[in-house]
Amino acid sequence: MREKNRRLLMATFWCVGPMVLIAALVFSGCAALEEAGQRREKRLLEERNASSLMLKPPTSVIDEANIAPNALFGESDHYTITFAEDLQQLPAFDEIAERQEFILSALNYMESLYEAMREHFGFHPQHKIHVTLHDTYRGSRLGAFTTTEYSRGMLDGRYMKSINGIKMDFPMQMYEKHGVRAHELTHAFTNIYYIPVWFSEGIAVLIQTEYAKGGLHPKFDSLKVDINVDINGINELENWGGHTENSPLTQWRYSYAYTLVAELWERYGPDFYIKVFELMETDGLHQQLEDLMPTSILVYYFNQAAGEDLVPFFRSLHFKVQHLTKADIIKYVEGLNQNRRQLNRQRR
């Protein structure tokens, strides 16, 4: 009986043992796959994290020879950086070695960020970006500003606007916030197309929040529920003056614009805005605009990039938009230029 039980136990072992071994190997393999998946997920997250992606060395080399002997100025492929006089008085920047170390670090950071933005948008400014660092700017340590300098004139009987340079002014307190840097650099990239304020600010918050992970403006749950309209029933985004505005609606405008551009981004994919800017560049009509383009012109390019009519969508959000053809836009631009010429003649 004991022998029979022993043989039965051995038989059970030889049947079950391999199954246990196989199960162990499968479990081990699954664990390894799961671990590999976790590593990949971590890597993907790191690629979107400002502390890793935007601080990795850029492809361009920062030459110490391009830093002034007094270390008040430095230059790289796409930037210049200057210390304003009020910043030089601070203990952290009153010695040459301190300023030189900071300039090298800052230029490397900004070149890395520049490359990331160029990849994201598919284009880049043709001019260097001139960054000035301050202790205070316009009487405050809480505001950062990007200024695009234009020249205006007539070419072949048409009004034309071109860019002479791009300036960025940061109080040091704001420059040290990576989200603010990403926000302002987005303006440096997109302002060359003279887009409406709401789109300019919305896409800057999108990059600041979802790419640089430094957002300060929460996304709304619903574009229709969280809307604000003026006394004429028009979406309040259409009345936005931009950075210099200070009103009870300012924070709403940042969040709503971000929610809107994020909605389109999610709906039509990460290349949607690349397509929009490529279409603008191909037409070149933005250079003939006296002022920022109306939302209707922007939606004209949205329609092409999306492959569908978005006018009803924008009208449902109380934007004052209409269907336009390219001929309509050319006629509109020529009308603006004619008015411009008449005003110039009257001033003479």
Side-chain angles (χ1 to χ4, degrees):
M1 186 69 176
R2 289 180 180 175
E3 181 63 23
K4 182 179 178 180
N5 288 341
R6 187 181 68 80
R7 288 198 300 269
L8 182 61
L9 182 62
M10 290 296 293
T12 302
F13 171 79
W14 286 112
C15 290
V16 177
M19 294 176 63
V20 173
L21 179 61
I22 292 171
L25 290 174
V26 170
F27 177 79
S28 177
C30 290
L33 287 173
E34 184 179 357
E35 184 179 350
Q38 289 174 347
R39 287 198 301 270
R40 179 178 181 276
E41 184 178 358
K42 180 182 178 182
R43 177 177 58 79
L44 291 174
L45 287 173
E46 286 177 346
E47 287 178 354
R48 291 173 57 86
N49 188 296
S51 64
S52 59
L53 174 66
M54 294 181 188
L55 291 179
K56 70 182 182 182
T59 56
S60 59
V61 178
I62 310 301
D63 190 347
E64 291 188 23
N66 290 333
I67 298 178
N70 60 8
L72 295 176
F73 173 86
E75 187 172 10
S76 61
D77 288 352
H78 302 108
Y79 293 91
T80 67
I81 188 168
T82 303
F83 282 91
E85 186 174 351
D86 66 341
L87 195 63
Q88 300 168 32
Q89 313 304 319
L90 300 184
F93 302 107
D94 61 355
E95 294 183 6
I96 291 177
E98 293 171 330
R99 295 194 298 270
Q100 185 178 51
E101 181 182 4
F102 183 90
I103 286 178
L104 282 172
S105 174
L107 289 175
N108 270 288
Y109 182 103
M110 291 190 296
E111 285 291 344
S112 178
L113 184 57
Y114 187 99
E115 291 172 10
M117 292 295 97
R118 179 167 56 186
E119 181 179 349
H120 196 89
F121 288 115
F123 67 90
H124 61 94
Q126 298 301 314
H127 297 271
K128 283 192 175 182
I129 299 171
H130 303 288
V131 177
T132 303
L133 301 176
H134 309 258
D135 179 25
T136 62
Y137 184 67
R138 298 184 180 179
S140 173
R141 293 188 173 93
L142 300 178
F145 295 86
T146 297
T147 306
T148 306
E149 299 175 336
Y150 305 107
S151 62
R152 297 168 171 82
M154 303 298 293
L155 180 65
D156 297 329
R158 291 183 175 181
Y159 172 85
M160 296 293 289
K161 184 164 60 174
S162 58
I163 295 173
N164 288 338
I166 301 170
K167 293 173 54 182
M168 299 174 75
D169 288 277
F170 289 93
M172 184 59 70
Q173 181 174 323
M174 299 304 292
Y175 181 82
E176 291 175 346
K177 300 178 184 293
H178 69 265
V180 174
R181 274 176 278 183
H183 183 109
E184 292 304 317
L185 184 59
T186 303
H187 286 318
F189 269 61
T190 61
N191 281 1
I192 62 178
Y193 290 98
Y194 320 126
I195 55 181
V197 169
W198 70 262
F199 182 47
S200 176
E201 295 296 347
I203 202 168
V205 176
L206 175 76
I207 297 300
Q208 176 182 0
T209 303
E210 303 199 15
Y211 185 77
K213 301 300 181 185
L216 300 174
H217 308 287
K219 191 188 296 184
F220 288 125
D221 294 329
S222 171
L223 287 168
K224 292 187 176 180
V225 172
D226 295 297
I227 196 170
N228 273 299
V229 297
D230 63 16
I231 59 173
N232 296 313
I234 305 301
N235 193 305
E236 281 284 7
L237 284 190
E238 297 268 42
N239 304 318
W240 197 359
H243 267 317
T244 57
E245 179 192 79
N246 183 18
S247 82
L249 284 174
T250 299
Q251 293 306 313
W252 171 85
R253 284 183 169 124
Y254 275 109
S255 289
Y256 196 88
Y258 163 41
T259 305
L260 177 53
V261 299
E263 166 70 21
L264 294 173
W265 204 37
E266 292 166 7
R267 186 185 298 188
Y268 298 108
D271 291 340
F272 176 67
Y273 292 122
I274 291 178
K275 294 175 184 176
V276 169
F277 289 115
E278 284 177 347
L279 290 165
M280 290 182 187
E281 182 66 28
T282 299
D283 284 353
L285 295 173
H286 59 280
Q287 290 181 283
Q288 299 176 41
L289 287 168
E290 164 62 16
D291 206 344
L292 301 179
M293 68 174 62
T295 298
S296 291
I297 294 180
L298 178 64
V299 173
Y300 164 80
Y301 291 110
F302 282 175
N303 291 345
Q304 294 184 66
E308 64 177 285
D309 183 10
L310 290 174
V311 170
F313 169 73
F314 276 88
R315 284 179 176 171
S316 73
L317 300 178
H318 297 272
F319 281 85
K320 191 177 180 180
V321 295
Q322 56 183 314
H323 289 96
L324 296 178
T325 64
K326 187 171 181 179
D328 293 329
I329 297 174
I330 292 173
K331 184 178 179 180
Y332 170 80
V333 170
E334 288 177 346
L336 288 179
N337 293 344
Q338 184 177 2
N339 291 337
R340 176 75 177 181
R341 289 193 292 270
Q342 289 176 349
L343 288 173
N344 287 340
R345 285 195 293 267
Q346 292 172 2
R347 289 170 182 170
R348 293 171 187 169

